[in-house]
Amino acid sequence: MVDDSDMPSALQVAQAVSAVLGKKLADQSASEIVLTREEAALCLGLAEGVAENLAQSEPDAG
């Protein structure tokens, strides 16, 4: 069984992604940004969580 107390909430993950991407995108002169593996994993985790949540809320999901 996984101890959920060690897992960040969806809100915490979303806030972390927002902070990371906000800092990276703040430089208006940059034509591209680079994410570390950890930053990319954070973004992917958030996207997967949102997709899973949306799939569960679909009336004919399953």
Side-chain angles (χ1 to χ4, degrees):
M1 181 175 217
V2 176
D3 183 6
D4 288 338
S5 64
D6 290 340
M7 299 295 293
S9 70
L11 176 59
Q12 290 171 319
V13 173
Q15 289 170 329
V17 168
S18 178
V20 166
L21 294 179
K23 287 179 187 175
K24 300 272 182 171
L25 294 170
D27 182 0
Q28 298 295 319
S29 66
S31 62
E32 61 183 50
I33 62 169
V34 177
L35 298 178
T36 65
R37 185 170 185 83
E38 184 177 293
E39 291 166 341
L42 186 64
C43 293
L44 177 60
L46 179 61
E48 288 177 338
V50 169
E52 182 179 319
N53 185 276
L54 291 172
Q56 290 176 356
S57 68
E58 288 291 318
D60 58 353

